[in-house]
Amino acid sequence: MSAAGSLLAVVPAASVLLLTVALRSRAVDAVAPLRLAVVRSALLTGVYAVLVVELLGAMHALNRPAFVTAWLLFLVAAATAAGLRRRSSRPAPPAVATPQPVAVGAVVSGDSPDPAVEPVATNSGPAPTRTFPAPSGLLSVAVDAWRTAGRGERLLVGTIAGLVLVELLVALLAEPNNFDSQTYHLPKVEHWVAQGDLDFWPTAIHRQVTIPPGAEYLLLHLRLLTGGDHLHNLVQWAAGVLCLLVAARITAQLGGGRRAQLLTAFVLATTPMVVLQATSTQTDLVCAAWVTCAATVVLDGLRRRTGWGTLLGLGAATGLTAVTKTSGLIAVGPLLVLWGLAQLRLTLAAGAATTGSAASAATPDPAVSAATGAVRRPRPVGGVARTVGGSVLILLVAAVVVGPFLARVTAEFGHPLGPPRLRESIPMERHDPQSILVNALRIGHTAFDTPLAPLRRAGAEVIIDGAGVIGVDPQDRAITFGREIFPEPAWYPDEDRVAFPLTGALALIGAVVALARPRRIDPEQTGPLRAYAVVVLAAVLLHTSMIKWQPWGNRLILYAVVLAVPLAGLWVDALLRRRRANSARRSVATAVAVTVLATSALAGVLALSYGFPRRLVGSGSVFTTSDWDTRFLRRPQWADEFRWAAAAVRDSDARRIGLVQQNDNWEYPWWLLLRQPDGSSPDLVALQSVLPERPPADPSSVDAIVCTGSRPACTKLVPAGWRLEFRGYVGYALPPAR
């Protein structure tokens, strides 16, 4: 990555920071306004990034100059908005003598009586809004918060910060080496760069064109700005940080104090799946981030009518979830239902209040009342219409974000969800109660897996035997992905499979308590707690009834785990503050909570230290493994084979190169090894295609052929007289003249 590329990569980050300043809430009762501003900034930036790709793709202008221009314009707009916001929030000059200085913390809390700092309302204009501190003020607030924090809170903050910073280090040092990324995430980006547009291409790997590309759109920005993939891991790392901030805000919205928010962030930050994915080029954390953004915006709508900005935010979160990973909509759907019901409830409550006010008002002359408008009848129909209109707006905004991709898929395959092989491979094909129960039990068994092999075997035997009793084959292809066999060990810290027994257990307990005994958590938040718990449980139940069991299913349900963790933080906090219990019970509860948190911290540290395929220590460490070998930690034996074949093709001076591969083969190494001397993309064309309307290239039209996987499949496509060489997994073929 060049120095210019490094500087350009700073532009999106600077834009997000400036937008955070510009979009800070003016409402004095906003919960965690800074984190709300981060949510708004992330959603706006995410939508902008997606629409830039769609617009420039339609113009056949997916190139570096166009993207640099787009981001510089966005930076200027963000800086202008931040400047205007700072200017409008600047306190008015004092009308009297110079006031006494006021601490910054007082301004933040809204306790300052000084009109120079927070002007009082007058009859000459609208009531002024609360000011917010400058960056230096925010630092002072952070310092004050640290000073007032207890030892336990400081330990939580230190652990979270340490994990996040070390994850950042790993993300910067490690080359992208996720298996799916080698097959379709990163090749998808390279195809766009080579083509300059988003048109589909002939390929043997249908996931390169059928899987929603939202996360890859973000990678495309970094690819064109920097010229390489060295910063690709930062997309998931940033998504992980966003998940921590938003989950903590959700905890605050549900009544949790500072300790409960820190506990939520701690439990989430130490979850091994989160730790490992935060340094990856997978897409699950990106999806989870958009889902939690939708959740926190919905919770804001439980107590107040939703404005235009919030409606746009909900539409943006819905669209970004859909264009990133459609499974995330399993949670967004119930969240939107909760929002709609809350808005209708507020409408009815406002109507009832107005009716009561009208009934109690003593108006001797109805004509006077009618003339002055002192008493008005409630208009619930108008409120319902407003909610319906808001729902339509949410769907329209979401359609703007995800619509272009769905239109391309529909035009190609005749269905917005892609070809039949995709629609039948992941979604459940049986929905009878017995099949759903067996699927849910298998998903739970994999999610709660531990290193205790006897426990795993016993649990699996109970599920398999129970499935037989109710007449369900536990290996039925209609409820099982591909040719996979249940059970599958998932305790090892692997980014694609690792279980989350501690986090899952805490979240499950928190959800049950919030649903059945919400007063134990917060007597003043019983309604929101129950509603949120219902949404979380609904998302889990819908997931288990719609998505087949698979060995790597733990990462597919990560969005629901992140959504549920605030309930875990609230429950643990309630457990730690149980003052009515006798001392013995309190001591036991505290000891259990501390033990669980310590074990969670140990799991997070071990996942970061020894996790696969990016680790700090041991074989394959990011400090001792070369860049190229890091890319092949999943399949070390392939590293030299790819280099061997690519060297032979380069030495032949081949320009147009044919690809022979199967659905799960690695394509991305060819894009790196066969890049042109000037750094431009190689001319790679597929000699097989699963897209009916996209025929493959003729083998006789290429200068060389590279193959992965099956030698017989490669042999069938090599023209007569060509020399074919194969070494294990990789092969190449050249014509006699070369």
Side-chain angles (χ1 to χ4, degrees):
M1 181 175 62
S2 64
S6 300
L7 292 175
L8 290 173
V10 175
V11 174
S15 301
V16 171
L17 293 176
L18 289 169
L19 282 177
T20 300
V21 174
L23 298 175
R24 188 173 172 111
S25 176
R26 295 177 181 271
V28 295
D29 59 342
V31 177
L34 181 58
R35 277 170 274 172
L36 176 58
V38 172
V39 170
R40 293 172 172 176
S41 177
L43 290 174
L44 180 57
T45 305
V47 169
Y48 181 78
V50 170
L51 295 183
V52 163
V53 172
E54 291 289 357
L55 179 61
L56 294 180
M59 299 170 59
H60 303 282
L62 297 181
N63 54 62
R64 190 179 194 186
F67 273 66
V68 170
T69 301
W71 277 109
L72 290 178
L73 291 174
F74 192 65
L75 178 64
V76 170
T80 302
L84 292 175
R85 178 61 193 275
R86 291 290 297 270
R87 187 177 303 173
S88 66
S89 301
R90 190 173 299 163
V96 293
T98 304
Q100 296 297 319
V102 179
V104 175
V107 180
V108 177
S109 63
D111 295 333
S112 171
D114 188 351
V117 178
E118 187 167 359
V120 296
T122 65
N123 294 329
S124 60
T129 56
R130 180 180 60 177
T131 62
F132 57 89
S136 58
L138 290 175
L139 180 60
S140 299
V141 172
V143 171
D144 290 341
W146 180 261
R147 289 174 178 171
T148 59
R151 184 178 302 176
E153 292 177 339
R154 291 184 180 184
L155 183 60
L156 293 175
V157 172
T159 304
I160 296 167
L163 286 172
V164 170
L165 291 176
V166 176
E167 289 164 5
L168 175 60
L169 177 65
V170 175
L172 291 171
L173 291 178
E175 304 297 319
N177 61 359
N178 173 262
F179 195 102
D180 284 347
S181 296
Q182 306 280 5
T183 300
Y184 67 96
H185 290 311
L186 300 186
K188 186 185 302 187
V189 174
E190 295 301 324
H191 276 286
W192 293 333
V193 174
Q195 296 178 171
D197 57 41
L198 299 173
D199 291 344
F200 292 162
W201 52 89
T203 178
I205 305 173
H206 75 87
R207 291 175 294 173
Q208 291 183 357
V209 297
T210 57
I211 299 294
E216 291 89 339
Y217 281 174
L218 303 181
L219 294 177
L220 176 62
H221 286 272
L222 287 178
R223 168 66 175 85
L224 288 173
L225 290 177
T226 66
D229 62 6
H230 302 291
L231 299 183
H232 279 8
N233 293 331
L234 294 186
V235 170
Q236 281 261 108
W237 178 84
V241 173
L242 182 59
C243 286
L244 294 179
L245 295 175
V246 181
R249 182 173 191 265
I250 290 173
T251 305
Q253 290 173 289
L254 295 175
R258 182 169 64 186
R259 185 175 65 182
Q261 297 172 50
L262 288 175
L263 286 169
T264 294
F266 177 85
V267 172
L268 186 58
T270 55
T271 301
M273 179 66 77
V274 174
V275 171
L276 294 170
Q277 288 232 1
T279 62
S280 169
T281 47
Q282 264 293 6
T283 62
D284 304 287
L285 268 181
V286 178
C287 174
W290 300 136
V291 170
T292 51
C293 284
T296 194
V297 176
V298 165
L299 288 178
D300 278 338
L302 296 187
R303 290 190 174 90
R304 64 168 65 92
R305 294 306 302 268
T306 299
W308 292 106
T310 303
L311 290 174
L312 294 175
L314 276 175
T318 303
L320 289 169
T321 301
V323 81
T324 301
K325 215 174 187 69
T326 51
S327 58
L329 295 177
I330 295 174
V332 173
L335 285 168
L336 293 180
V337 171
L338 174 61
W339 170 83
L341 293 175
Q343 293 297 295
L344 291 175
R345 181 185 62 82
L346 291 173
T347 296
L348 296 176
T354 306
T355 301
S357 176
S360 63
T363 306
D365 187 355
V368 174
S369 175
T372 60
V375 179
R376 296 182 180 180
R377 295 293 181 184
R379 299 176 61 187
V381 175
V384 172
R386 178 179 175 181
T387 301
V388 173
S391 302
V392 172
L393 178 60
I394 291 170
L395 296 178
L396 287 176
V397 173
V400 169
V401 177
V402 72
F405 168 71
L406 293 181
R408 289 193 297 274
V409 174
T410 303
E412 190 73 30
F413 301 103
H415 196 287
L417 297 181
R421 64 184 301 176
L422 178 62
R423 302 198 304 270
E424 296 170 1
S425 62
I426 297 177
M428 287 274 286
E429 298 177 79
R430 290 181 57 179
H431 297 91
D432 55 285
Q434 299 92 329
S435 297
I436 293 175
L437 175 61
V438 172
N439 193 56
L441 291 174
R442 294 183 305 165
I443 290 176
H445 180 274
T446 304
F448 287 87
D449 190 23
T450 70
L452 303 176
L455 181 61
R456 181 189 312 117
R457 288 194 297 268
E461 289 173 0
V462 170
I463 294 173
I464 293 172
D465 293 341
V469 171
I470 60 177
V472 177
D473 179 4
Q475 315 301 344
D476 185 355
R477 297 304 101 188
I479 62 174
T480 305
F481 180 86
R483 300 178 180 178
E484 305 301 326
I485 301 296
F486 173 83
E488 183 74 22
W491 65 269
Y492 185 77
D494 183 299
E495 66 175 353
D496 289 333
R497 299 177 181 236
V498 63
F500 30 80
L502 286 175
T503 302
L506 291 175
L508 181 60
I509 294 172
V512 171
V513 173
L515 189 62
R517 300 286 183 87
R519 291 185 176 276
R520 289 192 175 185
I521 296 177
D522 191 333
E524 298 180 359
Q525 298 285 336
T526 57
L529 282 168
R530 277 198 174 118
Y532 191 77
V534 167
V535 167
V536 170
L537 293 175
V540 174
L541 292 176
L542 286 172
H543 183 98
T544 57
S545 63
M546 297 175 67
I547 306 296
K548 294 177 179 178
W549 174 87
Q550 46 196 288
W552 44 89
N554 288 340
R555 67 177 182 82
L556 299 184
I557 204 171
L558 183 59
Y559 69 90
V561 174
V562 177
L563 202 63
V565 164
L567 297 175
L570 288 164
W571 177 73
V572 174
D573 180 64
L575 193 66
L576 291 173
R577 57 180 166 82
R578 291 184 64 183
R579 298 178 179 177
R580 294 183 180 179
N582 58 53
S583 57
R585 292 178 61 184
R586 283 194 61 193
S587 299
V588 171
T590 301
V592 170
V594 171
T595 301
V596 169
L597 293 176
T599 307
S600 181
L602 179 61
V605 171
L606 290 176
L608 188 58
S609 301
Y610 295 97
F612 194 73
R614 292 165 303 280
R615 57 177 49 167
L616 292 174
V617 297
S619 176
S621 166
V622 294
F623 296 114
T624 59
T625 308
S626 69
D627 293 348
W628 185 252
D629 289 335
T630 297
R631 296 181 184 273
F632 286 85
L633 284 175
R634 285 284 186 190
R635 299 292 187 271
Q637 68 274 19
W638 294 351
D640 291 336
E641 295 176 7
F642 270 98
R643 276 182 163 173
W644 160 76
V649 171
R650 286 197 309 269
D651 292 342
S652 70
D653 292 327
R655 291 291 178 264
R656 183 175 167 87
I657 303 164
L659 289 174
V660 178
Q661 54 197 6
Q662 289 75 56
N663 183 58
D664 206 29
N665 289 175
W666 285 19
E667 180 183 313
Y668 186 59
W670 299 126
W671 291 97
L672 299 175
L673 291 168
L674 299 175
R675 190 167 291 181
Q676 301 293 340
D678 62 357
S680 59
S681 300
D683 185 9
L684 296 177
V685 296
L687 302 184
Q688 308 142 290
S689 179
V690 294
L691 278 65
E693 304 299 324
R694 309 278 174 171
D698 187 337
S700 63
S701 68
V702 300
D703 302 323
I705 296 175
V706 292
C707 309
T708 51
S710 170
R711 177 168 185 158
C714 186
T715 303
K716 292 180 181 179
L717 292 171
V718 173
W722 284 39
R723 176 170 56 94
L724 173 62
E725 300 285 344
F726 229 91
R727 184 181 291 180
Y729 177 77
V730 179
Y732 70 90
L734 296 172
R738 297 181 182 273

